[in-house]
């Protein structure tokens, strides 16, 4: 039996990946500082990747054949991002080394590989779009590169294969996640509907008018499982996106219609969500109480800073998937349907109230 260790099992990627692997018959362990205890078929492992001694104890006796690293920890500066996130990967590899059972390690990073880190996001000389995996690293420090190098070093030392997965903005279910546009926009649209506030696009004119793409967490989970078990994908880096492209000027109207709100025409300048939601915490608490929602703390649901970073880019961002297609991964996911599936899940789990526009459709039953 294939045995997987999903590192970051409580996040968007890890949560969806663990469920996918269980459904495929894998033996799955899920590591996080506070792993979910109710994930069917997943053995929870509570550990801190920055505590080497505790990590060794937590992983003692575990013999995974495949390791999936889907987590990171945000720090105030990129230098700290590099130090902390590289140490997390290094500590994990050291803790697993004595068992000698690891055959493949998959690392999930993202398009900041091409766009640069938060401190220099979308600045300087960037590679041409669509982004392709053979484009060289930017000439700038980046914690994604540091994480990759830790995996490469351990693979060369211990003889396992690796894959690197670079999704665009991920759509999927997770609560309390630092990078969660789908849940953020769902909460924002709910507030607009419940209070009469305008449903105004927060980003740049380039993102409103230009082409872009995104990544469904379920498709990413399938891609991770595919690469980990396909010999031709061994020791390869891959972009991972849904396969469609869209403009936010079209998608914003689709999201508005799902929630039964009227989209506002684009203004002359961005209106960041951090600004639009600055006073919204008590509003959300009242909405949650009135509808009997499971999470009254808006801060647990929204990551406005990250959504603003993605939607505020001054450049077009489109991603090439040809490498995966040539090697046999042909999965496709319509991005608007990915959003709609997430919204229905949020309703079913009482994270957002049932929208009047969806009442009677059956979607809120999950």
């Amino acid at each position: 039996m294939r045995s997987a260790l999903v590192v970051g099992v409580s996040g968007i990627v890890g949560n969806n990946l663990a469920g996918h692997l269980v459904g495929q018959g894998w033996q799955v362990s899920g590591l996080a500082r506070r792993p979910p205890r109710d994930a069917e078929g997943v053995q929870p492992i509570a550990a801190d990747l920055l505590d080497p001694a505790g990590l060794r104890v937590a992983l003692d006796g575990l013999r995974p054949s495949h390791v999936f690293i889907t987590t990171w920890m945000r720090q105030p500066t990129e230098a700290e991002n590099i130090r902390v996130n590289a140490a997390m990967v290094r500590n994990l590899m050291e803790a697993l080394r004595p068992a000698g059972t690891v055959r493949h390690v998959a690392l999930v990073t993202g398009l900041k590989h091409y766009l640069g880190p938060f401190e220099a996001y979308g600045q300087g000389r960037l590679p041409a779009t669509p982004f392709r995996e053979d484009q060289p690293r930017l000439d700038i420090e980046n914690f994604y590169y540091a994480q990759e190098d830790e995996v490469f070093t351990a693979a060369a030392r211990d003889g396992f294969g690796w894959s690197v997965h670079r999704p665009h903005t991920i759509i999927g279910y997770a609560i309390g996640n630092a990078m969660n546009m789908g849940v953020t926009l769902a909460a924002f649209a709910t507030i607009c509907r419940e209070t009469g506030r305008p449903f105004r696009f927060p980003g740049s004119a380039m993102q409103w008018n230009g082409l872009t793409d995104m990544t469904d967490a379920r498709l990413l989970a399938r891609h991770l499982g595919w690469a980990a078990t396909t010999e031709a994908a061994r020791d390869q880096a891959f972009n991972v996106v849904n396969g469609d492209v869209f403009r936010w000027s079209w998608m914003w109207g689709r999201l508005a219609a799902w929630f039964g709100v009227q989209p506002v025409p684009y203004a002359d300048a961005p209106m960041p969500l951090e600004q639009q939601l600055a006073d919204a915490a008590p509003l959300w608490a009242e909405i949650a109480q009135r509808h009997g929602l499971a999470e009254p703390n808006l801060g647990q649901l929204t990551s406005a800073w990250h959504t603003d970073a993605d939607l505020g880019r001054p450049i077009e961002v489109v991603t090439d998937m040809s490498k995966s297609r040539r090697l046999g991964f042909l999965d496709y996911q319509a991005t608007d349907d990915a959003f709609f599936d997430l919204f229905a899940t949020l309703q079913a789990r009482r994270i957002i109230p049932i929208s009047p526009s969806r009442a009677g459709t059956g979607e809120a039953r999950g």
Side-chain angles (χ1 to χ4, degrees):
M1 178 180 289
R2 290 167 175 160
S3 174
L5 174 62
V6 177
V7 182
V9 71
S10 59
I12 296 177
V13 179
N15 175 275
N16 283 272
L17 173 61
H20 170 70
L21 295 177
V22 168
Q24 294 295 305
W26 290 58
Q27 182 181 58
V28 180
S29 299
L31 186 150
R33 283 177 294 174
R34 293 177 294 277
R37 302 286 173 174
D38 58 351
E40 186 175 351
V42 179
Q43 174 193 356
I45 299 175
D48 184 346
L49 294 174
L50 293 176
D51 176 8
L55 187 59
R56 285 194 298 271
V57 171
L59 296 177
D60 185 40
L62 197 71
R63 301 175 64 80
S65 58
H66 295 72
V67 179
F68 300 88
I69 305 173
T70 71
T71 189
W72 70 289
M73 188 178 297
R74 188 186 183 198
Q75 302 299 310
T77 66
E78 191 59 20
E80 279 296 289
N81 275 329
I82 291 169
R83 183 186 68 81
V84 168
N85 289 282
M88 289 163 59
V89 176
R90 184 167 58 252
N91 293 343
L92 176 68
M93 294 295 94
E94 287 292 338
L96 291 170
R97 190 180 187 195
T101 59
V102 175
R103 301 201 304 266
H104 188 94
V105 172
L107 172 68
V108 179
T109 60
L111 294 196
K112 285 188 289 297
H113 183 92
Y114 309 106
L115 289 164
F118 290 118
E119 290 183 1
Y121 192 59
Q123 300 175 19
R125 187 183 182 121
L126 301 177
T129 56
F131 296 139
R132 292 184 168 86
E133 297 91 341
D134 60 0
Q135 291 167 326
R137 290 179 174 182
L138 302 177
D139 187 20
I140 188 171
E141 294 297 309
N142 189 325
F143 83 87
Y144 281 174
Y145 305 160
Q147 286 184 310
E148 285 185 347
D149 289 343
E150 292 293 343
V151 171
F152 299 159
T153 297
R157 179 191 66 205
D158 299 333
F160 56 76
W162 57 265
S163 58
V164 175
H165 304 255
R166 299 169 185 159
H168 198 166
T169 304
I170 299 170
I171 304 168
Y173 179 82
I175 303 301
N177 190 270
M179 298 191 294
N180 197 335
M181 181 188 288
V183 179
T184 298
L185 292 180
F188 176 53
T190 298
I191 290 169
C192 291
R193 187 186 68 234
E194 296 284 320
T195 65
R197 291 187 175 196
F199 187 58
R200 178 177 287 116
F201 182 71
S204 68
M206 173 60 76
Q207 291 304 303
W208 180 255
N209 295 309
L211 291 173
T212 192
D213 48 30
M214 294 184 75
T215 305
D216 188 303
R218 299 166 300 181
L219 182 140
L220 176 55
R222 298 193 296 273
H223 192 271
L224 283 157
W226 165 79
T229 56
T230 300
E231 183 59 31
R234 180 186 172 100
D235 299 346
Q236 298 287 332
F238 296 101
N239 296 327
V240 192
V241 288
N242 288 337
D244 62 351
V245 294
F246 64 91
R247 303 180 200 277
W248 275 105
S249 56
W250 173 81
M251 183 67 76
W252 202 247
R254 298 281 287 162
L255 303 188
W258 200 95
F259 281 95
V261 297
Q262 188 67 32
V264 176
Y266 186 73
D268 293 334
M271 182 71 72
L273 274 182
E274 281 199 306
Q275 178 181 335
Q276 295 193 60
L277 294 175
D279 64 345
L283 296 174
W284 183 262
E286 190 276 327
I287 292 169
Q289 182 179 31
R290 175 155 35 93
H291 291 280
L293 302 183
E295 180 52 72
N297 182 356
L298 185 63
Q300 282 293 104
L301 302 179
T302 60
S303 52
W305 68 273
H306 186 263
T307 299
D308 285 339
D310 274 2
L311 297 183
R313 295 171 182 147
I315 57 172
E316 182 179 81
V317 179
V318 199
T319 316
D320 183 68
M321 274 282 283
S322 298
K323 186 176 184 180
S324 292
R325 307 300 189 215
R326 284 195 297 268
L327 295 179
F329 184 82
L330 305 178
D331 287 25
Y332 165 86
Q333 170 65 55
T335 299
D336 54 343
D337 286 341
F339 273 118
F340 300 158
D341 289 349
L342 170 62
F343 299 157
T345 297
L346 294 173
Q347 287 186 338
R349 300 193 184 194
R350 295 190 302 110
I351 303 300
I352 61 174
I354 296 175
S355 167
S357 65
R358 314 314 300 171
T361 65
E363 292 180 357
R365 293 194 294 270

